[in-house]
Amino acid sequence: MLAENAPTPVDFWFDPLCPWAWITSRWILEVEKLRPIRVRWHVMSLAVLNEDKDVPEEYRRGLEGSWGPVRVCIAAEQKYGPEVLGRLYTELGTRRHHEGQKFDRAYFEAALTAAGLDPMLADAADSTDYDEAVRASHKDGIDRVGQEVGTPVIEVEGSAFFGPVVSPIPRGDAAAKLWDGVVAVASTDGFFELKRTRDRDPVFD
């Protein structure tokens, strides 16, 4: 039971590879300043999500490189606890999406160090030892919304949904307004989908 006036937990599943999830994650951090919520971060995997799906070969090759970041996140979570995932994701995402860095050893070490974590956790990127935990975390999130989604998955007060997919990052009152609307539709019994074709690329400003 939550203490009176305690922030509402909001669970957020992310894959560091996805630029759209990155935008949504920066939006939810903006919402955290404006609404009484507390974000709890979790790993999901686009590679796992799409491993049995018919996707273009070029996309599948890109997913092969996505194992490293989620493994490193899980390794950090196992060593330090889930509370470190938010700041590690920030360091990973900033380097990937704003600076265009590759998922190589130097990238992981720099992100881990900046997050105040052991840079040797970069070893996890090439280790299958963490794959079972990646899959378990992924399943925990995806089971709440079903297979026909992507990243991120968000759950608040028992209502789970994919997205929102938005660009650029909503700030200030626009961020709070979007949150209020998303929660309203997601908590509506029998509501399933609201979508339109994307006509712009991810904007990270």
Side-chain angles (χ1 to χ4, degrees):
M1 179 180 294
L2 291 175
E4 188 175 357
N5 299 322
T8 300
V10 175
D11 292 288
F12 190 111
W13 280 263
F14 66 92
D15 184 325
L17 176 70
C18 181
W20 297 100
W22 173 250
I23 290 175
T24 308
S25 73
R26 300 310 95 180
W27 161 73
I28 202 72
L29 289 177
E30 185 80 359
V31 175
E32 199 173 40
K33 303 173 187 175
L34 302 165
R35 293 290 185 266
I37 67 169
R38 179 174 61 86
V39 183
R40 301 187 299 198
W41 303 94
H42 311 272
V43 173
M44 67 179 293
S45 169
L46 288 172
V48 173
L49 182 69
N50 290 284
E51 62 185 354
D52 296 323
K53 295 181 179 179
D54 184 16
V55 298
E57 186 57 34
E58 183 178 359
Y59 181 69
R60 188 171 299 283
R61 286 196 300 269
L63 292 177
E64 292 174 0
S66 71
W67 276 102
V70 293
R71 287 167 175 165
V72 169
C73 285
I74 288 293
E77 181 182 28
Q78 290 182 355
K79 181 168 183 175
Y80 296 99
E83 63 274 8
V84 305
L85 284 177
R87 68 177 189 264
L88 177 56
Y89 180 30
T90 290
E91 298 299 338
L92 292 169
T94 298
R95 286 164 174 75
R96 175 69 175 187
H97 302 298
H98 294 265
E99 301 173 12
Q101 295 186 21
K102 297 179 180 180
F103 291 151
D104 58 17
R105 176 83 188 195
Y107 163 86
F108 293 119
E109 289 184 348
L112 287 160
T113 299
L117 308 175
D118 182 1
M120 292 303 294
L121 289 174
D123 291 343
D126 298 315
S127 173
T128 58
D129 292 347
Y130 300 93
D131 291 6
E132 184 177 348
V134 169
R135 290 179 180 277
S137 182
H138 174 86
K139 185 177 186 301
D140 183 28
I142 211 70
D143 281 354
R144 301 167 194 246
V145 289
Q147 291 290 325
E148 300 306 314
V149 299
T151 178
V153 169
I154 296 174
E155 182 177 75
V156 54
E157 296 187 315
S159 296
F161 51 91
F162 157 63
V165 177
V166 62
S167 179
I169 303 165
R171 304 287 188 185
D173 290 343
K177 182 179 179 181
L178 178 58
W179 173 254
D180 294 342
V182 165
V183 171
V185 297
S187 61
T188 299
D189 182 50
F191 179 84
F192 296 109
E193 189 168 356
L194 181 67
K195 188 173 183 179
R196 58 186 173 192
T197 300
R198 285 175 286 188
D199 61 0
R200 67 182 69 173
D201 293 328
V203 177
F204 304 127
D205 294 337

